[in-house]
């Protein structure tokens, strides 16, 4: 038996023929899957810095051809991109702050077993996951509150996400021991003080997870802006992207000097690839550093549905 | 000291044998008034932005006039529902909505499970990490950018058509053919979400103790057999909960994506109930009619959720409630 334990690695490595075939197939399938996911992303990068004529004719596959930054120059000439960026940053920062503050405070309160009525409140929140008034009544509420055409229309209607509330509550329940609360209360510590002085410093991972989840949601959201904002000066980046990428409205300031229609089409495509990169850059830069928090968040969410 | 702690009013953890300490709930609430203050903004938020709209559903039974409000507008009963059921678009909308949702579920539910099972079998940890990192990255791409990518890749001179032409095929006008809407919608969704959805199953698989696998190997089980008899049972509860949850959102799926992917030429396949609600409700301001259509959608959704939860409970013993 001790021999068996010592040779564990060898034991795992011992394979039948069937297992060898499985391993080869598995490696093949997963590598294929990875390429399917990776290649489009990679292609966008090389297409955004290649001569658009080559991209158009299908001559760009693995490496960029005739590297050019013309697309990016045209993108940054356009005022809309900058306004969109600025607006999105403001909405993301303010919105995330509201989200995280509300979610963590509520989740902590709900995680406390001595809170009378916690099941009732939990049910009240959960119910909204499965039944809602729908688009029109919600729109009418936001409109009657006078939020239309203000940044608050993008922030208040999404102040708390039920799923994140559950994740945070689960985290508090599993990491803050009851004994800690008891001893703090013996020392005369109030609930507020306990939350801010003891719980929050112990909960940095969940704070990070919540900030990231909410920030990504704000960064990526466009539909609320589409519904609630009419003023172009308030448009977030995603709405600007929509008009360039999907409605094909690369503005005059981007294409003005290009003469033939065909050339305009190619430059417009070049701009599209570039715009995808420009929109994704903040996340692309941060992704390697923050990835572990995302995974952590997804996993906490999975512990208890 | 011990006994004193037991009688402290906030102490809730007790062993089963301990008698339940009766406290007046008034005292308990007063003790924790700060916690209620923590909860208060969230409660107010849910009331204003979720429960008042539910009450606002009443306008589906009225001819809502913004100046009259919910109680002042005239009641019309089920008129809007009847108008919707009789409209020429009704069956097309219902079919598109159900078809897209079920196709999404059909592929989107099992694929992450398969990917997680396969990833879990990779012995090279570094490569496993790398594959994981790559496949869940698209989760963070916004819908607008995702749909934008679909447009550029599937345009007449995009990557896909260039590829088709290399093999001597004719270019396909993907975005202007209705028959391509659903395949593109589903496959782009799989591309974006499979890796992310697999994380949850990987977490469940990590919880299987190695001893079980070792015992199975001792008994001569192959990898396929271990997947079938060890791994799959281990992730069943998680899978069931996720299945019920995704059915709970069946009728609300990918509204934004469907809207963005619609072109005048493919809209016959891409119009789903939520996008229709947006168009008639907000673009042409028929509030009551759109609210009725939305309510119809929500009710179907709720019935589906209830049915699947019941089935899941009967089949596997675990459900949402």
């Amino acid at each position: 038996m001790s021999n068996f334990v010592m040779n564990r690695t060898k034991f795992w490595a011992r394979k039948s023929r069937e297992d060898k075939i499985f391993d080869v197939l598995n490696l093949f399938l997963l590598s294929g899957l990875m390429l399917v996911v990776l290649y489009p992303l990679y292609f966008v990068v090389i297409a955004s810095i290649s001569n658009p004529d080559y991209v158009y004719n299908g001559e760009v596959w693995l490496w960029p051809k005739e590297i050019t930054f013309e697309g990016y120059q045209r993108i940054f000439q356009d005022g809309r991109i900058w306004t969109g960026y600025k607006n999105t940053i403001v909405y993301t920062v303010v919105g995330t702050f509201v989200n995280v503050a509300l979610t963590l405070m509520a989740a902590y309160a709900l995680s406390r077993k001595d809170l009378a009525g916690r099941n009732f409140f939990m049910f009240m929140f959960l119910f909204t996951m499965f039944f809602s008034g729908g688009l029109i009544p919600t729109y009418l509420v936001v409109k009657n509150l006078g939020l239309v055409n203000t940044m608050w229309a993008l922030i208040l209607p999404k102040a708390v996400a039920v799923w994140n509330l559950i994740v945070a509550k689960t985290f508090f329940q599993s990491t803050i021991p009851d004994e800690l609360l008891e001893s703090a209360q013996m020392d005369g510590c109030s609930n507020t003080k306990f939350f801010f002085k003891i719980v929050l410093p112990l909960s940095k991972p969940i704070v990070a997870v919540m900030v990231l989840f909410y920030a990504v949601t704000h960064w990526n959201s466009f539909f609320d802006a589409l519904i609630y904002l009419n003023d172009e000066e308030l448009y977030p980046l995603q709405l600007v992207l929509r008009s360039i990428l999907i409605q094909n409205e690369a503005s005059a300031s981007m294409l003005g000097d290009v003469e033939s229609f065909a050339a305009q089409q190619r430059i417009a495509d070049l701009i599209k690839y570039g715009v995808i990169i420009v929109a994704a850059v903040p996340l692309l830069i941060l992704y390697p550093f923050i990835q572990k928090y995302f995974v952590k968040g997804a996993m906490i969410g999975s512990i208890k549905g | 000291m011990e006994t004193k702690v037991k009688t402290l009013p906030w102490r809730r953890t007790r062993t089963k044998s301990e008698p339940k300490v009766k406290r007046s709930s008034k005292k308990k609430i007063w003790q924790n008034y700060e916690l209620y203050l923590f909860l208060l903004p969230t409660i107010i938020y849910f009331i204003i932005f979720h429960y008042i709209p539910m009450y606002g559903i009443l306008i589906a039974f009225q001819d809502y006039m913004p100046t009259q409000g919910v109680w002042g507008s005239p009641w019309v009963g089920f008129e809007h529902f009847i108008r919707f059921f009789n409209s020429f678009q009704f069956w097309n909308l219902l079919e598109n909505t159900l078809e897209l949702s079920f196709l999404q579920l059909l592929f989107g539910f099992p694929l992450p499970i398969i990917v997680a099972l396969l990833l879990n079998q990779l012995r090279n940890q570094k490569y496993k990490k790398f594959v994981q990192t790559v496949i869940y990255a698209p989760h963070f791409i916004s819908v607008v950018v995702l749909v934008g990518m679909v447009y550029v890749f599937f345009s007449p001179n995009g990557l896909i058509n260039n590829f088709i032409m290399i093999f001597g095929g004719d270019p396909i006008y993907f975005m202007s053919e209705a028959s391509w809407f659903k395949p593109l919608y589903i496959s782009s969704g799989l591309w974006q979400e499979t890796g992310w959805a697999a994380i949850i199953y990987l977490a469940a698989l990590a919880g299987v103790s190695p001893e079980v696998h070792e015992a199975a190997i001792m008994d001569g089980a192959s990898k396929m057999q271990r997947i079938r008899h060890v791994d799959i049972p281990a992730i069943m509860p998680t899978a069931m909960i996720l299945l019920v949850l995704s059915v709970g959102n069946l009728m609300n799926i990918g509204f934004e994506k469907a809207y963005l992917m619609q072109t005048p030429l493919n809209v016959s396949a891409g119009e789903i109930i939520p996008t229709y609600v947006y168009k008639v409700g907000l673009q042409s301001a028929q509030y009551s009619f759109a609210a009725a259509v939305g309510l119809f959608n929500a009710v179907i959704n709720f019935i589906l959720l209830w049915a699947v939860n019941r089935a899941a409970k009967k089949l596997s013993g675990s459900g949402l409630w």
Side-chain angles (χ1 to χ4, degrees):
Chain A
M1 193 62 199
S2 64
N3 190 28
F4 160 68
V5 174
M6 274 155 65
N7 284 328
R8 210 175 224 187
T9 38
K10 210 174 161 189
F11 173 80
W12 277 104
R14 201 173 60 197
K15 285 176 195 166
S16 66
R17 207 175 131 248
E18 203 186 329
D19 283 359
K20 275 180 197 156
I21 297 171
F22 177 90
D23 278 343
V24 173
L25 257 174
N26 188 10
L27 202 67
F28 184 73
L29 278 174
L30 285 176
S31 303
L33 179 73
M34 186 196 67
L35 286 179
V36 167
V37 174
L38 193 59
Y39 184 71
L41 299 171
Y42 174 73
F43 183 81
V44 172
V45 176
I46 57 171
S48 77
I49 53 171
S50 293
N51 181 332
D53 292 336
Y54 288 118
V55 180
Y56 192 79
N57 293 328
E59 289 172 44
V60 174
W61 292 105
L62 284 178
W63 307 109
K65 270 195 175 169
E66 278 191 22
I67 292 183
T68 165
F69 292 98
E70 200 190 342
Y72 290 101
Q73 280 165 4
R74 288 176 187 274
I75 290 166
F76 290 124
Q77 276 168 22
D78 188 53
R80 286 182 303 170
I81 292 277
W82 294 112
T83 320
Y85 242 100
K86 190 197 76 196
N87 287 336
T88 294
I89 291 171
V90 173
Y91 303 154
T92 302
V93 171
V94 179
T96 306
F97 179 79
V98 172
N99 288 147
V100 173
L102 260 59
T103 305
L104 289 182
M105 291 200 312
Y108 174 68
L110 289 169
S111 78
R112 283 274 296 267
K113 297 189 198 79
D114 56 342
L115 184 86
R118 67 200 279 262
N119 287 333
F120 169 75
F121 293 123
M122 209 54 218
F123 177 79
M124 174 183 165
F125 301 153
L126 277 174
F127 184 66
T128 64
M129 270 178 104
F130 302 108
F131 197 81
S132 71
L135 180 69
I136 305 298
T138 310
Y139 173 81
L140 291 175
V141 167
V142 174
K143 196 177 158 203
N144 289 337
L145 289 171
L147 299 177
V148 170
N149 244 345
T150 68
M151 67 179 273
W152 300 107
L154 309 191
I155 291 166
L156 296 179
K158 289 202 296 196
V160 179
V162 183
W163 184 257
N164 289 345
L165 190 67
I166 299 171
V167 171
K169 175 182 166 257
T170 310
F171 180 90
F172 288 136
Q173 268 169 350
S174 54
T175 52
I176 307 294
D178 292 346
E179 288 75 16
L180 200 60
L181 176 70
E182 277 165 27
S183 63
Q185 284 182 326
M186 296 272 282
D187 293 339
C189 180
S190 72
N191 274 316
T192 311
K193 212 169 166 186
F194 182 70
F195 178 68
F196 286 102
K197 291 271 155 83
I198 298 172
V199 175
L200 274 190
L202 284 175
S203 308
K204 280 181 196 136
I206 199 65
V207 178
V209 167
M210 288 294 121
V211 168
L212 291 173
F213 275 9
Y214 279 121
V216 169
T217 312
H218 281 292
W219 188 270
N220 283 343
S221 82
F222 90 100
F223 196 72
D224 289 354
L226 180 70
I227 299 176
Y228 298 125
L229 301 182
N230 307 315
D231 183 357
E232 283 207 21
E233 283 299 301
L234 291 171
Y235 277 6
L237 184 62
Q238 299 295 334
L239 266 192
V240 179
L241 292 179
R242 171 176 169 258
S243 63
I244 296 173
L245 277 172
I246 293 163
Q247 299 178 317
N248 234 337
E249 287 168 5
S251 70
S253 78
M254 282 177 171
L255 291 174
D257 56 324
V258 184
E259 284 173 10
S260 78
F261 179 73
Q264 273 195 358
Q265 272 303 304
R266 284 166 209 195
I267 299 281
D269 273 356
L270 182 68
I271 288 171
K272 285 182 188 176
Y273 290 116
V275 150
I276 292 173
I277 302 292
V278 170
V281 151
L283 264 175
L284 281 179
I285 296 173
L286 289 173
Y287 189 61
F289 303 103
I290 56 185
Q291 196 218 103
K292 63 171 188 224
Y293 291 107
F294 283 127
V295 175
K296 196 176 274 166
M299 286 186 170
I300 299 170
S302 71
I303 298 170
K304 279 182 191 168
Chain B
M1 200 58 209
E2 253 306 294
T3 44
K4 205 188 167 203
V5 173
K6 266 179 203 160
T7 55
L8 284 175
W10 56 79
R11 183 170 161 105
R12 281 281 285 181
T13 40
R14 61 195 165 80
T15 56
K16 282 232 166 83
S17 56
E18 257 178 298
K20 194 169 179 174
V21 190
K22 281 256 173 188
R23 274 168 264 100
S24 76
S25 54
K26 251 189 201 163
K27 200 173 171 190
K28 219 163 79 180
I29 290 171
W30 178 241
Q31 204 100 44
N32 285 327
Y33 78 96
E34 291 154 291
L35 295 182
Y36 290 96
L37 289 181
F38 281 7
L39 207 49
L40 192 63
T42 303
I43 294 174
I44 294 173
Y45 159 76
F46 274 97
I47 290 174
I48 294 181
F49 291 103
H50 292 274
Y51 283 91
I52 293 182
M54 284 187 208
Y55 160 79
I57 289 177
L58 286 179
I59 68 165
F61 304 94
Q62 298 177 330
D63 268 331
Y64 177 72
M65 302 190 201
T67 46
Q68 306 286 318
V70 173
W71 280 115
S73 305
W75 294 86
V76 295
F78 286 91
E79 194 182 281
H80 297 297
F81 292 89
I82 294 165
R83 199 183 122 206
F84 177 55
F85 298 147
N86 289 329
S87 78
F88 72 100
Q89 275 164 310
F90 175 71
W91 289 109
N92 184 33
L93 282 172
L94 195 63
E95 193 193 315
N96 283 342
T97 311
L98 288 174
E99 205 183 322
L100 266 189
S101 324
F102 279 110
L103 282 175
Q104 172 139 311
L105 196 64
L106 188 69
F107 295 103
F109 177 66
L111 199 62
I113 298 181
I114 295 168
V115 169
L117 289 172
L118 292 181
L119 268 175
N120 194 48
Q121 291 292 342
L122 271 190
R123 283 270 81 85
N124 184 339
Q125 289 303 310
K126 265 195 182 152
Y127 189 62
K128 180 181 163 191
K129 258 259 148 64
F130 178 68
V131 175
Q132 267 183 359
T133 306
V134 169
I135 62 174
Y136 56 59
H139 173 75
F140 300 103
I141 292 174
S142 73
V143 212
V144 177
V145 169
L146 177 77
V147 177
M149 284 172 73
V150 172
Y151 272 91
V152 290
F153 282 129
F154 292 88
S155 74
N157 264 54
L159 187 67
I160 304 294
N161 272 320
N162 280 335
F163 198 69
I164 291 175
M165 285 189 285
I166 283 181
F167 290 97
D170 290 324
I172 301 170
Y173 289 73
F174 289 99
M175 296 314 289
S176 35
E177 273 178 34
S179 58
W180 278 102
F181 185 91
K182 279 162 193 154
L184 285 182
Y185 182 96
I186 302 295
S187 51
S188 61
L190 292 179
W191 180 82
Q192 185 172 28
E193 294 298 340
T194 299
W196 183 252
I199 292 181
I200 291 179
Y201 297 111
L202 278 171
L205 287 171
V208 180
S209 88
E211 277 83 9
V212 183
H213 276 291
E214 274 159 19
I217 296 173
M218 292 289 273
D219 291 340
S222 70
K223 285 197 168 188
M224 277 310 278
Q225 283 169 321
R226 279 190 284 136
I227 287 181
R228 247 185 77 192
H229 298 290
V230 181
D231 287 345
I232 290 183
I235 56 178
M236 269 318 264
T238 312
M240 275 301 147
I241 287 178
L242 289 179
L243 180 67
V244 177
L245 274 175
S246 52
V247 172
N249 278 315
L250 208 57
M251 303 290 282
N252 303 324
I253 46 119
F255 161 36
E256 304 182 354
K257 201 169 125 195
Y259 178 68
L260 290 172
M261 280 182 69
Q262 287 173 5
T263 62
L265 294 163
N266 69 15
V267 74
S268 63
E271 192 81 285
I272 55 177
I273 297 178
T275 57
Y276 181 71
V277 170
Y278 169 69
K279 286 176 189 168
V280 294
L282 295 185
Q283 291 182 340
S284 38
Q286 304 182 44
Y287 294 136
S288 282
F289 178 67
V293 178
L295 179 58
F296 168 76
N297 197 45
V299 168
I300 295 208
N301 197 27
F302 204 75
I303 293 170
L304 280 173
L305 173 70
W306 179 80
V308 170
N309 188 55
R310 237 184 110 100
K313 250 167 64 186
K314 273 222 169 113
L315 288 174
S316 70
S318 54
L320 268 187
W321 67 81

PDB file of all heavy atoms in Angstrom, chain B residues 63-74:
ATOM      1  N   ASP B  63     -56.107  51.052 -22.116  1.00  0.00           N
ATOM      2  CA  ASP B  63     -55.538  51.901 -23.156  1.00  0.00           C
ATOM      3  C   ASP B  63     -54.762  52.976 -22.430  1.00  0.00           C
ATOM      4  O   ASP B  63     -55.297  54.024 -22.085  1.00  0.00           O
ATOM      5  CB  ASP B  63     -56.640  52.518 -24.023  1.00  0.00           C
ATOM      6  CG  ASP B  63     -56.922  51.651 -25.228  1.00  0.00           C
ATOM      7  OD1 ASP B  63     -55.979  50.950 -25.672  1.00  0.00           O
ATOM      8  OD2 ASP B  63     -58.066  51.659 -25.707  1.00  0.00           O
ATOM      9  N   TYR B  64     -53.513  52.672 -22.173  1.00  0.00           N
ATOM     10  CA  TYR B  64     -52.726  53.536 -21.293  1.00  0.00           C
ATOM     11  C   TYR B  64     -52.490  54.906 -21.929  1.00  0.00           C
ATOM     12  O   TYR B  64     -52.081  55.017 -23.083  1.00  0.00           O
ATOM     13  CB  TYR B  64     -51.393  52.877 -20.993  1.00  0.00           C
ATOM     14  CG  TYR B  64     -50.474  53.719 -20.137  1.00  0.00           C
ATOM     15  CD1 TYR B  64     -50.733  53.918 -18.786  1.00  0.00           C
ATOM     16  CD2 TYR B  64     -49.338  54.316 -20.682  1.00  0.00           C
ATOM     17  CE1 TYR B  64     -49.895  54.684 -18.003  1.00  0.00           C
ATOM     18  CE2 TYR B  64     -48.487  55.088 -19.904  1.00  0.00           C
ATOM     19  CZ  TYR B  64     -48.778  55.263 -18.568  1.00  0.00           C
ATOM     20  OH  TYR B  64     -47.952  56.020 -17.789  1.00  0.00           O
ATOM     21  N   MET B  65     -52.798  55.934 -21.131  1.00  0.00           N
ATOM     22  CA  MET B  65     -52.469  57.284 -21.585  1.00  0.00           C
ATOM     23  C   MET B  65     -51.525  57.900 -20.565  1.00  0.00           C
ATOM     24  O   MET B  65     -51.872  57.978 -19.379  1.00  0.00           O
ATOM     25  CB  MET B  65     -53.718  58.132 -21.672  1.00  0.00           C
ATOM     26  CG  MET B  65     -54.705  57.494 -22.621  1.00  0.00           C
ATOM     27  SD  MET B  65     -56.054  58.586 -22.955  1.00  0.00           S
ATOM     28  CE  MET B  65     -57.280  57.440 -23.506  1.00  0.00           C
ATOM     29  N   PRO B  66     -50.358  58.301 -20.998  1.00  0.00           N
ATOM     30  CA  PRO B  66     -49.347  58.803 -20.062  1.00  0.00           C
ATOM     31  C   PRO B  66     -49.877  59.903 -19.141  1.00  0.00           C
ATOM     32  O   PRO B  66     -49.488  59.978 -17.983  1.00  0.00           O
ATOM     33  CB  PRO B  66     -48.252  59.336 -20.979  1.00  0.00           C
ATOM     34  CG  PRO B  66     -48.397  58.534 -22.215  1.00  0.00           C
ATOM     35  CD  PRO B  66     -49.859  58.252 -22.365  1.00  0.00           C
ATOM     36  N   THR B  67     -50.793  60.728 -19.637  1.00  0.00           N
ATOM     37  CA  THR B  67     -51.278  61.824 -18.798  1.00  0.00           C
ATOM     38  C   THR B  67     -52.235  61.328 -17.717  1.00  0.00           C
ATOM     39  O   THR B  67     -52.405  61.967 -16.691  1.00  0.00           O
ATOM     40  CB  THR B  67     -52.014  62.876 -19.653  1.00  0.00           C
ATOM     41  OG1 THR B  67     -52.907  62.172 -20.525  1.00  0.00           O
ATOM     42  CG2 THR B  67     -51.038  63.688 -20.480  1.00  0.00           C
ATOM     43  N   GLN B  68     -52.889  60.179 -17.956  1.00  0.00           N
ATOM     44  CA  GLN B  68     -53.885  59.687 -17.005  1.00  0.00           C
ATOM     45  C   GLN B  68     -53.301  58.776 -15.937  1.00  0.00           C
ATOM     46  O   GLN B  68     -53.906  58.588 -14.891  1.00  0.00           O
ATOM     47  CB  GLN B  68     -54.981  58.903 -17.754  1.00  0.00           C
ATOM     48  CG  GLN B  68     -55.634  59.652 -18.886  1.00  0.00           C
ATOM     49  CD  GLN B  68     -56.591  60.715 -18.392  1.00  0.00           C
ATOM     50  OE1 GLN B  68     -57.340  60.485 -17.458  1.00  0.00           O
ATOM     51  NE2 GLN B  68     -56.546  61.882 -19.014  1.00  0.00           N
ATOM     52  N   GLY B  69     -52.149  58.163 -16.223  1.00  0.00           N
ATOM     53  CA  GLY B  69     -51.558  57.267 -15.250  1.00  0.00           C
ATOM     54  C   GLY B  69     -52.223  55.907 -15.262  1.00  0.00           C
ATOM     55  O   GLY B  69     -53.140  55.653 -16.050  1.00  0.00           O
ATOM     56  N   VAL B  70     -51.751  55.019 -14.377  1.00  0.00           N
ATOM     57  CA  VAL B  70     -52.215  53.637 -14.410  1.00  0.00           C
ATOM     58  C   VAL B  70     -53.672  53.505 -13.984  1.00  0.00           C
ATOM     59  O   VAL B  70     -54.404  52.662 -14.482  1.00  0.00           O
ATOM     60  CB  VAL B  70     -51.308  52.748 -13.540  1.00  0.00           C
ATOM     61  CG1 VAL B  70     -51.862  51.335 -13.420  1.00  0.00           C
ATOM     62  CG2 VAL B  70     -49.903  52.695 -14.117  1.00  0.00           C
ATOM     63  N   TRP B  71     -54.129  54.369 -13.034  1.00  0.00           N
ATOM     64  CA  TRP B  71     -55.513  54.205 -12.610  1.00  0.00           C
ATOM     65  C   TRP B  71     -56.512  55.016 -13.436  1.00  0.00           C
ATOM     66  O   TRP B  71     -57.674  54.661 -13.514  1.00  0.00           O
ATOM     67  CB  TRP B  71     -55.680  54.529 -11.126  1.00  0.00           C
ATOM     68  CG  TRP B  71     -55.227  53.359 -10.314  1.00  0.00           C
ATOM     69  CD1 TRP B  71     -54.166  53.312  -9.473  1.00  0.00           C
ATOM     70  CD2 TRP B  71     -55.801  52.040 -10.316  1.00  0.00           C
ATOM     71  NE1 TRP B  71     -54.031  52.055  -8.956  1.00  0.00           N
ATOM     72  CE2 TRP B  71     -55.019  51.253  -9.443  1.00  0.00           C
ATOM     73  CE3 TRP B  71     -56.889  51.451 -10.978  1.00  0.00           C
ATOM     74  CZ2 TRP B  71     -55.291  49.911  -9.209  1.00  0.00           C
ATOM     75  CZ3 TRP B  71     -57.152  50.106 -10.740  1.00  0.00           C
ATOM     76  CH2 TRP B  71     -56.360  49.356  -9.865  1.00  0.00           C
ATOM     77  N   GLY B  72     -56.032  56.074 -14.073  1.00  0.00           N
ATOM     78  CA  GLY B  72     -56.942  56.918 -14.819  1.00  0.00           C
ATOM     79  C   GLY B  72     -57.273  56.424 -16.215  1.00  0.00           C
ATOM     80  O   GLY B  72     -58.298  56.793 -16.788  1.00  0.00           O
ATOM     81  N   SER B  73     -56.423  55.554 -16.765  1.00  0.00           N
ATOM     82  CA  SER B  73     -56.644  55.116 -18.147  1.00  0.00           C
ATOM     83  C   SER B  73     -57.809  54.149 -18.235  1.00  0.00           C
ATOM     84  O   SER B  73     -58.061  53.379 -17.309  1.00  0.00           O
ATOM     85  CB  SER B  73     -55.375  54.446 -18.674  1.00  0.00           C
ATOM     86  OG  SER B  73     -54.278  55.316 -18.547  1.00  0.00           O
ATOM     87  N   PRO B  74     -58.513  54.162 -19.358  1.00  0.00           N
ATOM     88  CA  PRO B  74     -59.673  53.279 -19.515  1.00  0.00           C
ATOM     89  C   PRO B  74     -59.281  51.811 -19.643  1.00  0.00           C
ATOM     90  O   PRO B  74     -58.278  51.470 -20.256  1.00  0.00           O
ATOM     91  CB  PRO B  74     -60.313  53.773 -20.819  1.00  0.00           C
ATOM     92  CG  PRO B  74     -59.234  54.487 -21.547  1.00  0.00           C
ATOM     93  CD  PRO B  74     -58.321  55.054 -20.507  1.00  0.00           C
TER      94      PRO B  74
END
